[in-house]
Amino acid sequence: MKNRLLLIFLCIGYIGMSQIELNDYKYVIVPKQFDSFKKENQYQTSTFIKYLLTQKGFNTVYDDEMPDDVIRDRCLGLLVDLIDDSSLFATKTSILFKDCGGKEIFLTQEGRSKLKEFKPSYMEAIRKNFESLDGFTYSYKPKESTTEVPTKISFKDDVKQLEKEEPAPVETAAKEVREVVVEQEVTPEDQTYKSVSPKVSEIKKGEAKPSSQIMVEATKETNILYAQQIANGYQLVDSTPQIKLKMFGTTNPNVYLAVADDKNGMVHSKDGKWFFEYYEDGQLRVEELQIKF
C-alpha cells in the first residue's frame, strides 16, 4: 500500500513539474492538419484544441499564422501533436507538447470515447485529455539566459596568423593543421558540433588547377533559413525547425567559419547576398543562402 501511494505521489509530482515547464514558452502552435488525418481540421480537431488551449490562457496560434517573433525564433513556441490510438470500438487520443528540437515537454492523459459518430467522439476524448491541465494556470515566464551553458570556441593557433606565414611543405602544414583544435562546451539543446579545423590544400604555391576542377556554379537554396544567435555566431534553422548550418564569427564581419552536417567551409557576403563555400569530392562548391536575420 505504501509503495502504491509513493508511486502516485511521484506521478503527481512529475506531471506538476511538466506543467510548470509550459510556462517557459510564449506560444502554443496548433497544426491545421494533424498527421493522423487526411484532411485539414478533420472532425474539427484543430479548431477545438485551439479553442480549449485559449480557454486555458495559452497564446495559441495556427502553424500557418505564426507571429514574426516566433518565426524568427521557433523555440519561443511549443508544437501540439494529437496522438490518435483509436480502435474499431473506441476513440483514444492524447495531446503531446513538443519544443523546437522535438523534445517532449508534456503529454496529457489518454482520453477515450465510445460514441459512434466520429466528430462528437473525438471531441469527448479531447476534452478528457485536457483534464490533465485542470488546476494549471498558464503564465509565460521567459527562460533566463544565465541558465544556459554558453558555447566556448577557442583556437590553439590563430588561423589568420598561419595564412601570413611563409608556405610550409605539405607534410609540415598537415602537422600544423592537426594541432588546430576546436574546444567546445554545448548547451543541452545543442549537443553536437563538428571540428571546423581548416583542411590542408595539396596545391603548391605557383600551381593553378583548371577552374573546372575547383569551381562549381553557384546553386541557390530556395528555402529561407532563419538566423538564431548563439555564442560566437549564429545557427541557421529552417521552418521545420531543424538546424541546417552553424556559423562562427571571424575578424571580418562578412566572413564566417561554417559547419553543416559533414561539410566544413565558410559563409561570406557578396553584393548583399550570402554564399556557403565548401569542398566536396575535390571540387569547390558554392551555394547561395537565403538568410533572414
Side-chain angles (χ1 to χ4, degrees):
M1 184 66 180
K2 290 181 179 179
N3 291 336
R4 289 182 179 179
L5 289 174
L6 178 60
L7 181 61
I8 292 172
F9 282 122
L10 288 174
C11 290
I12 293 174
Y14 172 77
I15 292 173
M17 290 299 295
S18 298
Q19 288 178 343
I20 291 174
E21 285 190 66
L22 298 177
N23 289 327
D24 295 338
Y25 301 89
K26 188 174 182 181
Y27 299 99
V28 176
I29 304 167
V30 178
K32 284 192 173 179
Q33 181 177 338
F34 291 106
D35 293 337
S36 304
F37 302 124
K38 297 180 180 179
K39 297 180 181 179
E40 186 176 289
N41 196 29
Q42 193 165 355
Y43 311 126
Q44 295 186 354
T45 49
S46 296
T47 52
F48 190 54
I49 289 176
K50 183 177 184 296
Y51 167 76
L52 292 177
L53 285 169
T54 304
Q55 291 295 103
K56 290 289 184 182
F58 290 96
N59 297 321
T60 315
V61 297
Y62 287 122
D63 56 352
D64 61 350
E65 299 175 1
M66 295 188 294
D68 290 340
D69 55 348
V70 75
I71 291 177
R72 290 192 300 269
D73 185 358
R74 179 61 183 72
C75 294
L76 287 174
L78 281 175
L79 181 65
V80 171
D81 189 16
L82 180 65
I83 300 175
D84 188 1
D85 292 323
S86 301
S87 64
L88 183 63
F89 304 102
T91 298
K92 295 181 288 185
T93 63
S94 300
I95 296 176
L96 177 63
F97 295 81
K98 300 183 293 185
D99 67 8
C100 61
K103 176 184 175 183
E104 296 183 4
I105 301 300
F106 183 71
L107 177 66
T108 68
Q109 67 184 24
E110 185 179 71
R112 297 191 179 195
S113 175
K114 292 187 177 181
L115 297 177
K116 294 182 179 180
E117 296 184 12
F118 285 114
K119 179 179 174 181
S121 182
Y122 275 102
M123 289 190 172
E124 182 180 39
I126 290 171
R127 279 194 181 276
K128 291 180 180 179
N129 295 148
F130 273 80
E131 291 177 3
S132 297
L133 294 173
D134 286 349
F136 171 71
T137 302
Y138 170 75
S139 177
Y140 173 54
K141 296 177 182 178
K143 294 181 181 179
E144 296 182 4
S145 59
T146 54
T147 60
E148 297 183 357
V149 180
T151 303
K152 295 181 180 179
I153 300 177
S154 62
F155 293 86
K156 184 177 179 181
D157 299 315
D158 184 1
V159 177
K160 297 192 74 63
Q161 183 63 34
L162 289 175
E163 294 174 352
K164 295 179 181 179
E165 294 177 355
E166 288 296 324
V170 174
E171 294 80 3
T172 304
K175 182 179 179 181
E176 292 179 356
V177 170
R178 284 196 294 271
E179 293 179 354
V180 181
V181 180
V182 179
E183 298 177 359
Q184 301 169 339
E185 295 181 15
V186 298
T187 63
E189 292 79 5
D190 300 315
Q191 298 181 357
T192 302
Y193 284 92
K194 296 185 179 180
S195 172
V196 293
S197 301
K199 297 182 180 179
V200 180
S201 172
E202 296 182 357
I203 302 176
K204 297 181 180 180
K205 185 176 180 180
E207 292 182 350
K209 291 188 176 183
S211 59
S212 60
Q213 297 182 18
I214 65 173
M215 195 67 177
V216 177
E217 291 186 2
T219 58
K220 186 174 182 180
E221 177 63 52
T222 57
N223 294 328
I224 295 178
L225 299 177
Y226 301 94
Q228 297 177 351
Q229 191 165 11
I230 59 175
N232 303 313
Y234 298 88
Q235 63 183 17
L236 304 183
V237 301
D238 58 19
S239 58
T240 308
Q242 180 180 0
I243 298 174
K244 306 298 289 185
L245 185 145
K246 288 181 178 161
M247 311 189 313
F248 302 101
T250 66
T251 55
N252 188 335
N254 294 321
V255 178
Y256 293 83
L257 299 177
V259 179
D261 295 330
D262 57 344
K263 302 171 186 175
N264 297 333
M266 61 178 288
V267 172
H268 65 92
S269 175
K270 182 179 180 181
D271 299 328
K273 297 180 180 180
W274 290 93
F275 299 90
F276 177 35
E277 295 188 11
Y278 60 93
Y279 276 91
E280 185 176 69
D281 299 328
Q283 291 183 318
L284 177 62
R285 299 188 180 276
V286 183
E287 294 180 4
E288 182 179 347
L289 302 177
Q290 302 295 317
I291 304 177
K292 187 172 182 180
F293 288 90

